[in-house]
Amino acid sequence: MTTTPPTPPVTGRPAPGPGPGAPASGAQDRIAAAGTALARAIQRVTASALGPYQSAVIRIGFAATYLFFLVRELPHRHELYGPDSPWHWDLARQLTAGNEAFSVLLWSDSVLWFEVVYALTILSAAGLLLGWRTRTMSVLFMVGVLSVQNRSVFMGDGGDNVIHLMAIYLVFTRCAQVWSLDARRAARDAERDAMGLPSRRDAVGPVLWAVLGPVLLGATLMDGLGGTWWLPVLLWILWLSAAAWWAANRFAPGGQPRVLLDVLANLAHNATLLVIMVEVCLIYATAGWYKIQGSRWQDGTALYYPLKLDYFAPWPALSDVLASSGLMVMVLTYATVIVQVAFPFTLFNRRLKNVLLVIMIGEHAGIALLLGLPFFSMAMIAADAVFLPTVFLVWLGGRTALGRRLLGWLPGRSRSPEAGGPQEVPTARPAPEERDGTGEAPPHGTGGGHTLVG
């Protein structure tokens, strides 16, 4: 005997299903996936400072370029930017009164004041190159670059314009996460924390903050920050934010104010890095399209003419050899235009982008050698570095560190008491409110922060 399962009672109401306006299951999945991707992108942009190695190369490249330029022109500094310049101090005052440019060299026509500003600009470039108190050095570097260049605006070229812009952009970046003295100091403090040792108190940061505050106040009251509104606002925000960083690191190192400051700093860094990338693309795109419109670039002879100018021929024999080959001149002329126009469109293809990047770096190296424009080439190569692959930069950093260790330039991290190293007695871990912050954030934006103007 077989039995049949009971039939459910009929209620007269159909089973629930998707309403007429409800999205299908596939659409719901796509919406959920898009929301997840957006959340991950926001998390990535706010939780870390992207491109730590690229930003470090930009910092080192532009600081080294301007440092070498100032040192090379040390014997001629008075004629270029000082009291003996053909562009007299009174003329510079009249020009800046019209274009609202900023230059601390226009605060006084004293020779002593010029020497002080020139020396401080050199020191700030060296400090930025080494990554020592990077936040402070980046601000002083920006002030020095703007002051020197705006003093005699007719002394610059395209490379100076790039340095001018990048000096401003570097202020917004966290460019000392790697390859800097700040990163080394942060790593040492992290090691001390891991060993249960007390953190070192930072005295340099508060001193710098206390010294620069009255200078900024005096410049503001005397209307010495130029005619633009953004520069005084930027400088005051940076000075006040340095105090906020110090207070957060001192009294709430793991609290919400510290997290908020990290998020804001990461957003500013990542947005500035994007601006730098767009700036480089615009430089090459506009240069390439303007070249296309020139008749000498169209017929492939544009490179011949600068090679025959004595002013742009540091190696006349080498320039003559290259200029004597019409085929080589035509190939290099057309290749320059093609690479500059095509580069922005190759960013979505990693391999092609890297190939063109190598070609452009080689092109700038050739300009430095053949046309005698080393600082222009250094500035452009430093700008190109924003697109260098991270894998290559990590490899390059590893080879550099290995070479330094082989030459004995880097002592070991720890030294035994027999070797004369300092002995440290482990003590209890200090309370959070007793510890100051550490310089720039460690690599990839994890932990750490800024000292007071550090």
Side-chain angles (χ1 to χ4, degrees):
M1 180 178 177
T2 59
T3 60
T4 58
T7 303
V10 178
T11 59
R13 298 179 60 185
S25 176
Q28 289 179 340
D29 293 340
R30 288 193 295 270
I31 294 175
T36 302
L38 179 61
R40 289 178 179 175
I42 294 175
Q43 172 70 14
R44 180 171 174 78
V45 171
T46 58
S48 63
L50 304 177
Y53 293 95
Q54 288 81 358
S55 58
V57 173
I58 293 173
R59 183 199 86 233
I60 295 171
F62 281 102
T65 300
Y66 210 63
L67 174 63
F68 295 156
F69 170 76
L70 293 177
V71 172
R72 193 196 71 168
E73 300 299 344
L74 199 61
H76 314 290
R77 63 190 185 279
H78 287 178
E79 290 78 10
L80 290 175
Y81 305 105
D84 299 331
S85 172
W87 190 248
H88 196 263
W89 188 81
D90 292 333
L91 294 175
R93 290 274 295 182
Q94 296 177 31
L95 180 62
T96 55
N99 61 15
E100 300 182 340
F102 162 76
S103 176
V104 298
L105 287 175
L106 299 180
W107 291 0
S108 171
D109 59 351
S110 168
V111 177
L112 177 61
W113 176 243
F114 168 78
E115 299 289 0
V116 169
V117 173
Y118 199 90
L120 288 178
T121 306
I122 292 178
L123 292 176
S124 65
L128 186 62
L129 172 65
L130 299 174
W132 180 79
R133 304 290 166 175
T134 311
R135 184 62 61 200
T136 304
M137 292 301 108
S138 65
V139 176
L140 295 179
F141 179 72
M142 176 190 71
V143 171
V145 169
L146 297 183
S147 298
V148 172
Q149 291 189 354
N150 290 336
R151 168 61 180 84
S152 298
V153 294
F154 301 106
M155 296 297 178
D157 55 20
D160 293 285
N161 294 335
V162 175
I163 296 174
H164 191 107
L165 293 173
M166 295 299 174
I168 300 174
Y169 295 155
L170 281 172
V171 173
F172 298 94
T173 62
R174 308 185 80 171
C175 54
Q177 299 176 92
V178 296
W179 300 342
S180 67
L181 296 179
D182 286 346
R184 177 182 292 188
R185 186 173 69 248
R188 289 175 176 173
D189 287 343
E191 289 180 358
R192 293 175 65 88
D193 286 344
M195 297 170 60
L197 300 173
S199 299
R200 294 186 178 92
R201 288 294 182 90
D202 176 34
V204 178
V207 170
L208 288 173
W209 185 82
V211 170
L212 295 176
V215 175
L216 179 58
L217 178 61
T220 304
L221 295 178
M222 293 187 300
D223 197 21
L225 297 179
T228 60
W229 63 268
W230 63 268
L231 184 61
V233 171
L234 173 62
L235 294 177
W236 276 109
I237 289 177
L238 292 171
W239 189 75
L240 294 175
S241 64
W245 273 105
W246 180 86
N249 288 325
R250 179 71 183 274
F251 302 108
Q256 292 301 316
R258 178 66 173 74
V259 174
L260 176 61
L261 290 174
D262 257 327
V263 169
L264 294 177
N266 291 334
L267 285 173
H269 169 93
N270 296 329
T272 304
L273 209 60
L274 178 61
V275 170
I276 293 175
M277 293 179 181
V278 174
E279 188 81 38
V280 175
C281 290
L282 287 175
I283 290 174
Y284 284 119
T286 54
W289 286 106
Y290 273 115
K291 286 181 174 68
I292 290 177
Q293 301 175 40
S295 59
R296 295 294 176 261
W297 291 95
Q298 292 174 6
D299 59 27
T301 62
L303 183 61
Y304 173 84
Y305 297 98
L307 290 175
K308 304 303 289 184
L309 293 176
D310 293 338
Y311 186 79
F312 293 104
W315 312 99
L318 185 59
S319 299
D320 290 340
V321 169
L322 183 58
S324 63
S325 174
L327 177 62
M328 185 62 67
V329 169
M330 183 184 67
V331 169
L332 292 177
T333 300
Y334 286 150
T336 299
V337 177
I338 293 172
V339 169
Q340 291 183 350
V341 173
F343 179 73
F345 300 100
T346 64
L347 297 181
F348 301 101
N349 188 303
R350 181 180 303 176
R351 293 182 179 179
L352 187 56
K353 180 263 295 183
N354 291 339
V355 171
L356 291 186
L357 197 59
V358 171
I359 295 175
M360 288 193 302
I361 292 176
E363 174 191 336
H364 291 305
I367 290 174
L369 178 64
L370 294 173
L371 302 183
L373 298 173
F375 300 111
F376 167 79
S377 298
M378 288 180 63
M380 292 309 303
I381 291 174
D384 294 340
V386 72
F387 296 106
L388 288 175
T390 301
V391 174
F392 169 74
L393 293 176
V394 172
W395 174 85
L396 183 62
R399 299 289 77 76
T400 303
L402 178 61
R404 292 171 63 187
R405 282 194 291 268
L406 291 176
L407 293 174
W409 295 352
L410 275 182
R413 281 189 174 273
S414 61
R415 299 174 59 188
S416 61
E418 293 80 5
Q423 301 185 35
E424 293 178 330
V425 179
T427 56
R429 183 186 294 270
E433 61 272 10
E434 297 176 354
R435 305 205 310 252
D436 293 341
T438 60
E440 279 278 0
H444 307 290
T446 56
H450 300 278
T451 53
L452 199 61
V453 199

